[in-house]
Amino acid sequence: MQLYLIRHGQSINNANWDRKDEPDYERYSDPPLTELGVRQAQSLARFIASTRSSSEQAQNVGEYRHSINITHLYSSLMIRAIQTGSIISETLGLPLVALPVVHEVGGVYLKTRINGETEISFEHGVSPACLRENFPALQLPQPIPERGWWQGGQEQVTELFDRAQRAIEFLEERHLGTNDKVAIVTHGGFFNYLVRTMFSIRLDEHDNRNLPFWFSFCNCAISRFDFVDERVTLIYHNRTDFMSDDLVSC
C-alpha cells in the first residue's frame, strides 16, 4: 500500500491566522477554502493527473517517485477537506469517500470569553442534508446523524493518539498487502499525530505544543508513505514543487 497524505487547501482561518490577536479577528468553526485554497487544490489535482501512468512495468528509482496513480480517495468531513477532495475527485474521475476519523485536532467548535470564563460552542459539523445539497458525489460508507457528524464540543488532546491509531487500522484492514494507492485529505495538526503514531515518536506526550519539533505541512502539500512487510517507509514529505511560488501557503 502506498499512502498519500494531503493537507486541505488554504482555509479562511489559515488566511487570517496572522491576525488572531487583533480585536476584530474572527475564527470559523468549520471554515471553507479561500480563493487561493481552491487554486491550490486545482494545481494539486492537475499535478496528480499528469503523473498517472497505465504502465505496470517496474520503474527505476527516478520514475518511481513521480507516479501518483491514486486508486482510493478519502477525506475528512470538515468543509475545507471535502472541497479539496472534491476538486481532486472531479479531476481524476475517482470517487471521494468520507473518513470522519481524520478530522482536525479539536473538532468543530469555537471558544468565546464570557465574563472572564471560556465557553466552548456545541456544534455538529456538516449534516447529511448539507452534504446532499453541496457535495452530492461524496460517499458516506457509514450514515451520520441528521444533526451532523461531529459529537459537539472540543475534542480532548488525550484522545488524539487513539484516533490516529484507529485511522491507521482502518487503512491497514482495507488496503495493507495490496497495490492500492490511497490518498487522504486531512489536516496539519492531525497529520502530526498520524506521523508520530506511525513512527512511535514521543507517544508519552499528547500535546504537540509541548514538543520541541513540528512536521510542517503546507496547504495542498502531499506526503508519501509506503507500507511494505510490516514496515513504514517515508518516501517524501510536504511536496509543493508542483505549485508556483505565489500559490504556496503554510
Side-chain angles (χ1 to χ4, degrees), residues 10-214:
Q10 185 194 61
S11 71
I12 292 177
N13 286 355
N14 295 152
N16 290 342
W17 181 250
D18 290 339
R19 299 179 53 250
K20 63 183 181 297
D21 295 324
E22 297 179 13
D24 61 344
Y25 167 72
E26 182 179 6
R27 179 184 178 274
Y28 293 76
S29 59
D30 195 6
L33 295 180
T34 62
E35 185 273 336
L36 175 62
V38 171
R39 291 169 57 205
Q40 291 168 336
Q42 292 169 338
S43 179
L44 171 61
R46 288 192 298 267
F47 168 68
I48 295 174
S50 74
T51 72
R52 295 173 112 180
S53 170
S54 59
S55 174
E56 296 297 329
Q57 297 179 351
Q59 298 170 309
N60 64 37
V61 174
E63 295 170 325
Y64 181 71
R65 79 185 194 279
H66 289 301
S67 178
I68 309 178
N69 288 333
I70 293 174
T71 59
H72 297 77
L73 178 62
Y74 298 98
S75 167
S76 93
L77 277 176
M78 289 179 156
I79 291 174
R80 56 201 184 274
I82 301 174
Q83 288 179 305
T84 303
S86 295
I87 291 170
I88 297 171
S89 171
E90 292 168 6
T91 302
L92 301 183
L94 196 64
L96 178 63
V97 181
L99 188 59
V101 74
V102 297
H103 68 79
E104 181 58 300
V105 172
V108 180
Y109 71 96
L110 287 174
K111 285 184 178 180
T112 55
R113 296 284 291 179
I114 300 178
N115 297 325
E117 299 292 329
T118 299
E119 294 197 4
I120 305 295
S121 64
F122 207 80
E123 305 181 43
H124 299 289
V126 294
S127 64
C130 174
L131 293 175
R132 286 192 296 269
E133 179 180 355
N134 298 287
F135 305 102
L138 178 68
Q139 298 182 5
L140 287 173
Q142 300 294 330
I144 61 175
E146 287 301 317
R147 67 184 183 183
W149 67 274
W150 178 237
Q151 64 195 19
Q154 182 180 7
E155 178 184 39
Q156 299 302 306
V157 70
T158 52
E159 301 172 9
L160 290 164
F161 280 127
D162 175 69
R163 180 155 64 86
Q165 185 60 47
R166 284 189 283 122
I168 293 168
E169 289 173 356
F170 170 90
L171 294 170
E172 291 180 340
E173 289 171 2
R174 287 158 180 78
H175 303 287
L176 191 63
T178 73
N179 290 322
D180 292 346
K181 283 77 172 176
V182 182
I184 299 179
V185 183
T186 185
H187 305 263
F190 191 59
F191 172 88
N192 274 259
Y193 284 96
L194 284 169
V195 172
R196 290 174 61 195
T197 300
M198 282 191 285
F199 294 107
S200 298
I201 300 173
R202 284 295 307 272
L203 302 184
D204 59 309
E205 176 52 69
H206 290 278
D207 196 334
N208 279 329
R209 294 168 297 183
N210 294 333
L211 295 172
F213 59 84
W214 174 259

